Amino acid sequence: VRKSTLFYTRDEEGYLEPTRDRVKSSGGSAQVMAALRQRGYLPGGDRSLLLGGGDMWTGPAISTWFEGESTVQVMNAMGYQAAAIGNHEFDFGQERLRANRKAASFPFLSANLTVKATGKQPDFALPYIIREVNGVNVAVIGLTTRQTSGIVLPDNLAGLALTDYAEALRRTVPQAAAEGADLPVVIAHVCPTDLHTLVPVAAELSIPLLLGGHCHSVVENVEQEGVRVIGPGAHWQSFAQVEIAFDTAARKVVQTKAELVRVEHPLSGTPLPSDPGVAAIVAGCSKKAEAALGEVIGYTRTGIPRGQPLYDLLLDSWLWAYPEADIALSNLGGYREAIAPGAITRADILTTWPFNNDIVAVDLTGAQLLENLLCCGGAAAGLTYRRSGDRVEATLDSGRALDPEATYRVLVNSYMYAGGDHYLFRTQNPNGTSLGVPMQDPVIRWIRARKTSPQHPLETLLQDRPLSPRR
């Protein structure tokens, strides 16, 4: 019986540095690396594998500003052996994904991502790899969430298709076995709840382990039909350690053990150990990001929480910058982080809204606008609205009802205009105009123009605003 150890993180999203709240510090790539070493992980060793579950690089400015390059550099240093391809790998387009793959010392995996014209994997993806771990040939198979086609800028996914998970596994596992694989495992940028539906297929194919991602809920350790489904926390705040005992004579798994290891400590306690090699790389990336984005543009005493205040801040800045527009809309998924108390830098804005989207102006009738509010919701400025069943009631800030027959100039981000999150804008009016301005730019200019300070913090300009029943 041979024992193999797999270490797994997912949805790292560029969180190279620790995140802190009022009571604890969580994560940090150097801290994770130190914790991995404490548990016996040795980069390049033959007793364990370090694997990632996708969504590697869109998040804080230290990664987003460099379009993932810094995260790839850190993951190389940590010795990752493979990572699944997630939806956010497409945020900067296929050419950047291809460039990051070339820079990575590890392959990107997806057995269900194919080129539409050929049915084969794109050149930046492999369906699986085989690695020997303590004398056992482990096949690591990747999957990418099929939701990607609805949540990625459509142009960034051009020419690609996402096929059925079960079909991909039934095709791939025999291929890997024919190449000498003893033990198949799956790393999937797929919600663990969806992976549960794959348990019968995994049991049929003798796959003992489904490692999930995408949804940020933590699934510590669920076993059904001899198959474990595990999903550690996102942002390098925890990792899974899985021990698999494999009977080489009988060619079967005899035992699996799994543990979720949290990487956090109370601020009042002793800081977590930090791997010096990884910490040095992160410090270098941080210095570069600070040089590019460290300009202080404002100040907040209490911070700006996620939710209504951030909706207002982004969308009101758009209407301030482009007063010829009547209404601004944004999808809620574009808001990623609160703005922390203290000085506000350009990096903070990029961390809060990390996506590489421009602002698009599109002329729509009131009826077309109502269609979007009904199907897809979102945050709005210039109007308030309420959805009830299959009806939407919208009122302009002037107090008048939205006129279904009138034409309005609406500002949206390029992801929404292209059909992301199922919005209808481009099909309703294919002649929308890109303003050629990143969606974050008006926010930066608006905050800078307000000249906020510790005596006059930003939040005082956002108080006592009417709240919309937005969804």
Side-chain angles (χ1 to χ4, degrees):
V1 175
R2 299 280 185 138
K3 291 185 178 180
S4 303
T5 303
L6 306 182
F7 296 100
Y8 178 76
T9 66
R10 53 80 164 211
D11 294 87
E12 299 84 11
E13 296 188 357
Y15 279 78
L16 305 182
E17 300 172 300
T19 56
R20 295 175 176 84
D21 58 24
R22 294 181 179 180
V23 296
K24 69 179 184 300
S25 175
S26 302
S29 53
Q31 289 73 15
V32 168
M33 186 64 179
L36 289 167
R37 289 187 185 278
Q38 288 178 342
R39 289 181 164 261
Y41 169 66
L42 179 66
D46 62 356
R47 296 298 181 97
S48 62
L49 294 178
L50 176 58
L51 306 169
D55 276 10
M56 291 174 264
W57 51 64
T58 299
I62 191 175
S63 179
T64 301
W65 180 252
F66 303 107
E67 297 186 336
E69 179 183 343
S70 52
T71 295
V72 170
Q73 187 179 1
V74 166
M75 293 178 75
N76 284 345
M78 294 175 73
Y80 277 79
Q81 290 289 300
I85 294 176
N87 51 286
H88 283 308
E89 268 63 81
F90 294 96
D91 284 346
F92 305 111
Q94 291 183 40
E95 284 308 307
R96 170 48 65 179
L97 174 51
R98 193 169 283 110
N100 283 347
R101 169 60 194 96
K102 289 179 180 178
S105 58
F106 54 95
F108 298 171
L109 305 183
S110 181
N112 70 314
L113 178 67
T114 64
V115 177
K116 288 180 181 178
T118 64
K120 297 180 180 179
Q121 264 67 42
D123 59 359
F124 51 78
L126 293 174
Y128 63 90
I129 58 166
I130 299 174
R131 294 288 184 268
E132 184 178 335
V133 186
N134 195 23
V136 177
N137 288 328
V138 178
V140 182
I141 302 165
L143 293 176
T144 300
T145 177
R146 298 192 71 190
Q147 295 177 12
T148 299
S149 57
I151 56 178
V152 165
L153 192 66
D155 289 349
N156 291 356
L157 207 63
L160 301 177
L162 289 153
T163 63
D164 183 75
Y165 307 134
E167 290 178 6
L169 292 180
R170 288 193 173 105
R171 178 180 65 252
T172 303
V173 171
Q175 290 175 350
E179 292 184 26
D182 301 312
L183 171 62
V185 299
V186 172
I187 57 174
H189 193 74
V190 176
C191 293
T193 50
D194 293 332
L195 289 182
H196 284 301
T197 66
L198 283 177
V199 165
V201 177
E204 166 197 327
L205 297 171
S206 298
I207 300 171
L209 186 62
L210 300 173
L211 295 163
H214 188 48
C215 296
H216 287 196
S217 56
V218 176
V219 177
E220 296 200 13
N221 192 1
V222 179
E223 184 174 12
Q224 298 172 288
E225 301 181 41
V227 179
R228 289 190 186 273
V229 178
I230 301 171
H235 303 166
W236 268 312
Q237 293 184 2
S238 64
F239 60 86
Q241 178 176 347
V242 186
E243 310 282 346
I244 303 177
F246 185 78
D247 187 328
T248 54
R251 295 184 60 79
K252 68 176 184 179
V253 173
V254 294
Q255 186 183 36
T256 61
K257 292 196 308 180
E259 182 180 358
L260 191 69
V261 182
R262 299 184 184 276
V263 182
E264 61 183 34
H265 72 91
L267 294 180
S268 59
T270 303
L272 291 172
S274 174
D275 181 83
V278 173
I281 295 172
V282 173
C285 296
S286 178
K287 187 175 181 180
K288 289 180 182 178
E290 177 70 20
L293 298 165
E295 175 195 356
V296 175
I297 60 172
Y299 186 88
T300 171
R301 185 181 301 145
T302 61
I304 311 300
R306 289 182 66 177
Q308 194 73 42
L310 281 184
Y311 304 160
D312 292 336
L313 181 57
L314 179 73
L315 296 178
D316 287 348
S317 77
W318 289 7
L319 293 180
W320 168 80
Y322 302 99
E324 67 276 13
D326 302 297
I327 294 159
L329 294 176
S330 180
N331 59 310
L332 301 186
Y335 301 83
R336 307 302 282 193
E337 289 291 337
I339 297 176
I344 304 170
T345 66
R346 291 169 61 94
D348 293 322
I349 300 304
L350 191 62
T351 296
T352 299
W353 295 284
F355 299 105
N356 190 26
N357 297 323
D358 289 345
I359 300 173
V360 176
V362 57
D363 293 331
L364 300 173
T365 66
Q368 290 172 324
L369 185 55
L370 290 171
E371 285 185 75
N372 284 283
L373 296 175
L374 179 61
C375 76
C376 310
L383 60 73
T384 58
Y385 73 92
R386 186 178 302 277
R387 292 194 297 188
S388 177
D390 59 357
R391 291 176 53 83
V392 178
E393 296 178 359
T395 304
L396 299 171
D397 283 357
S398 65
R400 292 177 297 170
L402 187 75
D403 183 350
E405 303 298 325
T407 297
Y408 300 92
R409 175 147 292 193
V410 182
L411 302 180
V412 298
N413 64 56
S414 52
Y415 165 75
M416 299 165 67
Y417 180 72
D421 284 357
H422 309 291
Y423 284 97
L424 308 169
F425 300 113
R426 186 159 67 176
T427 59
Q428 293 170 332
N429 183 354
N431 298 314
T433 302
S434 173
L435 302 181
V437 174
M439 60 182 283
Q440 304 87 352
D441 182 71
V443 187
I444 294 169
R445 291 193 285 128
W446 187 88
I447 294 174
R448 189 190 284 126
R450 302 283 78 76
K451 300 186 183 302
T452 55
S453 66
Q455 293 73 35
H456 302 286
L458 178 64
E459 59 269 20
T460 61
L461 304 178
L462 306 178
Q463 291 174 351
D464 301 319
R465 293 181 49 80
L467 301 185
S468 304
R470 302 169 187 159
R471 294 177 59 185

